[in-house]
């Protein structure tokens, strides 16, 4: 993951974490498909993760997310380009040299990967035992970690006695045992229920703030990105098709894959009772359906009441939501305005003057 600059992960990779220097169409890890020719699992990747940043990588199954993770921790080597973690080109190292680098990279797994025959304490202690730390040193390290993840009272329990959320807390503590600079999370919440997912994500965000960790978060759920990521990269077919600040991408997704992932997130979806009536062309005497994105300082402003009062335009709110994304207020409203072009133009200028992103969804009778 990278080094102190904001240029962290590029694929060719660059940053505390970097996948760097994009290459022509041959560019990353070839994977054999049956008896056929090798294909590129990742290609022309250019991604950086700055120190202390949480970057989410989202994609469907088979998009290349897991291969990207394996590049970062040295389990795969790029056929071209570089994978740079804290200034070290991981792809150039042999197994012996990879040991210290891997200890600086913590890993959280989807299915926990705990040893059933070891207690909670001993599962967390395992990487320290492998590193040759003495028992007193292990105790000094493990006990505060169990406190941090809320499992001090479960130290002598076995995995079979724990809930899914508790198992993942053990996995998080284990990932932190060697005091890593970078934390990799591979679908860490996809096996958990929504309430537990929220608790685990909040725990990760708190740990990141407390320890200043750099986190690369792999997921197929936009709700995970929305909850804790600072930036997001969307991967499709082995390529990054869109990336940016989370709020920017949520406000105006540029790629079809991103829009499909957003779906009903943050009020973006059109309710079925409206969708079934939408038409692409204006309807005489009808209304235009508009999506308005409210961000930052304007997220809680009474913009629609001002629009109605100052311009005399009636606005019908159809659906919406407001929350925090990327640490700032973020809201989406679906509204209906009078369908005549003059009223729409006036409303569009009014909203643009307040730096609000708008999008015409369609027209209804």
């Amino acid at each position: 993951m990278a080094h102190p600059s904001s240029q962290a992960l590029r694929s060719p990779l660059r940053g505390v974490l970097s996948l760097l220097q994009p290459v022509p169409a041959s560019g990353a890890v070839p994977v054999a498909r049956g008896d056929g020719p090798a294909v590129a699992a990742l290609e022309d990747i250019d991604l950086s993760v700055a120190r202390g940043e949480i970057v989410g990588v989202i994609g469907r199954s088979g998009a290349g997310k897991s291969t990207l993770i394996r590049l970062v921790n040295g389990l795969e080597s790029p056929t071209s380009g570089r994978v740079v973690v804290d200034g070290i080109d991981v792809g150039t190292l042999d197994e012996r040299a990879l040991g210290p680098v891997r200890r600086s990279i913590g890993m959280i797994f989807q299915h926990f990967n705990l040893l059933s025959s070891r207690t909670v304490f001993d599962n967390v202690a395992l990487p320290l035992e492998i590193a040759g730390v003495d028992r007193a040193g292990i105790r000094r390290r493990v006990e505060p970690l169990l406190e941090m993840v809320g499992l001090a009272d479960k130290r002598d329990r076995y995995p079979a006695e724990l809930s899914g959320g508790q198992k993942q807390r053990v996995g998080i503590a284990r990932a932190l045992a060697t005091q890593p600079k970078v934390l990799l999370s591979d679908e860490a919440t996809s096996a958990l229920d929504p309430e537990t997912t929220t608790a685990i994500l909040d725990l990760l965000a708190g740990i990141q703030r407390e320890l200043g960790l750099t986190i690369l978060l792999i997921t197929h759920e936009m709700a995970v990105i929305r909850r804790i990521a600072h930036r997001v990269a969307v991967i499709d077919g082995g390529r990054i098709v869109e990336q940016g600040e989370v709020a920017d991408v949520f406000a105006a997704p540029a790629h079809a894959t991103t829009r499909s992932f957003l779906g009903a997130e943050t009020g973006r979806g059109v309710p079925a009772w409206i969708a079934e009536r939408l038409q692409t062309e204006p309807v005489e005497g009808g209304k235009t359906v508009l999506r308005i994105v409210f961000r930052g300082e304007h997220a809680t402003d009474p913009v629609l009441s001002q629009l109605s009062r100052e311009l005399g335009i009636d606005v019908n709110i159809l659906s919406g939501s407001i929350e925090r994304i990327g640490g700032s207020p973020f809201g989406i409203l679906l509204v209906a305005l009078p369908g005549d072009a003059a009223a729409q133009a006036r409303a569009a200028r009014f909203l643009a003057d307040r730096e609000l992103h708008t999008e015409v969804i369609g027209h209804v009778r």
Side-chain angles (χ1 to χ4, degrees):
M1 289 179 135
H3 66 55
S5 76
S6 62
Q7 296 178 322
L9 180 82
R10 303 203 179 182
S11 177
L13 309 172
R14 178 167 94 204
V16 159
L17 197 158
S18 291
L19 307 180
L20 292 179
Q21 298 165 357
V23 293
S26 58
V29 178
V31 176
R33 303 293 187 193
D35 296 326
V39 298
L42 291 174
E43 195 166 18
D44 295 338
I45 301 291
D46 188 357
L47 178 65
S48 294
V49 180
R51 188 176 302 279
E53 187 177 36
I54 302 177
V55 171
V57 176
I58 188 166
R60 299 183 180 91
S61 297
K65 305 187 303 297
S66 294
T67 302
L68 189 147
I69 281 276
R70 291 173 64 84
L71 283 170
V72 174
N73 61 21
L75 294 176
E76 299 278 4
S77 296
T79 51
S80 60
R82 294 185 296 141
V83 181
V84 179
V85 179
D86 202 22
I88 299 172
D89 189 345
V90 175
T92 65
L93 304 180
D94 59 23
E95 279 298 316
R96 182 181 181 86
L98 274 170
V101 174
R102 286 178 176 151
R103 284 194 290 275
S104 73
I105 302 172
M107 183 79 180
I108 309 170
F109 302 93
Q110 177 180 4
H111 296 297
F112 320 129
N113 288 11
L114 303 181
L115 296 179
S116 60
S117 60
R118 295 176 70 100
T119 64
V120 165
F121 183 99
D122 290 336
N123 265 284
V124 177
L126 182 59
L128 297 172
E129 293 175 12
I130 294 172
V133 179
D134 62 40
R135 197 63 187 172
I138 288 174
R139 187 171 58 254
R140 286 194 299 271
R141 181 64 184 153
V142 173
E143 289 177 350
L145 286 174
L146 292 179
E147 289 281 356
M148 177 180 287
V149 300
L151 291 179
D153 61 335
K154 300 289 192 297
R155 58 171 289 157
D156 297 321
R157 299 290 184 88
Y158 289 87
E161 303 175 83
L162 304 178
S163 67
Q166 289 169 338
K167 290 176 184 177
Q168 196 54 284
R169 288 172 183 267
V170 178
I172 292 170
R174 180 185 57 193
L176 297 173
T178 57
Q179 297 180 291
K181 300 174 182 177
V182 172
L183 193 60
L184 305 180
S185 172
D186 189 7
E187 300 279 10
T189 59
S190 63
L192 305 175
D193 62 73
E195 184 177 356
T196 305
T197 291
T198 297
I200 291 297
L201 292 176
D202 289 348
L203 174 63
L204 283 175
I207 288 172
Q208 186 275 333
R209 288 191 299 270
E210 181 175 345
L211 302 181
L213 282 174
T214 302
I215 299 179
L216 182 65
L217 191 74
I218 301 296
T219 184
H220 64 274
E221 300 172 286
M222 269 296 186
V224 171
I225 300 292
R226 180 187 67 200
R227 186 87 189 177
I228 66 170
H230 303 130
R231 289 193 301 115
V232 59
V234 182
I235 189 168
D236 187 38
R239 296 173 181 267
I240 291 178
V241 296
E242 183 167 2
Q243 62 178 306
E245 300 292 328
V246 171
D248 291 339
V249 172
F250 270 64
H255 196 274
T257 300
T258 312
R259 290 193 293 271
S260 71
F261 271 118
L262 283 169
E265 285 295 319
T266 62
R268 179 170 294 277
V270 179
W273 65 275
I274 299 172
E276 64 190 16
R277 301 166 54 202
L278 279 178
Q279 301 182 36
T280 57
E281 298 297 327
V283 181
E284 184 175 355
K287 292 182 178 292
T288 295
V289 179
L290 196 69
R291 179 185 287 127
I292 308 174
V293 178
F294 297 77
R295 295 179 52 193
E297 61 182 298
H298 297 297
T300 56
D301 289 353
V303 173
L304 296 185
S305 63
Q306 292 171 2
L307 187 153
S308 295
R309 184 174 62 252
E310 295 180 24
L311 302 185
I313 296 175
D314 291 331
V315 180
N316 184 20
I317 298 176
L318 305 176
S319 67
S321 67
I322 186 166
E323 56 190 294
R324 294 187 72 81
I325 292 181
S328 299
F330 181 98
I332 292 183
L333 286 180
L334 208 63
V335 303
L337 302 177
D340 67 276
Q344 288 181 37
R346 290 162 55 214
R349 285 194 299 271
F350 180 91
L351 296 170
D353 287 345
R354 285 151 182 81
E355 300 179 349
L356 301 179
H357 177 79
T358 61
E359 178 185 359
V360 174
I361 301 301
H363 308 272
V364 295
R365 293 187 183 280

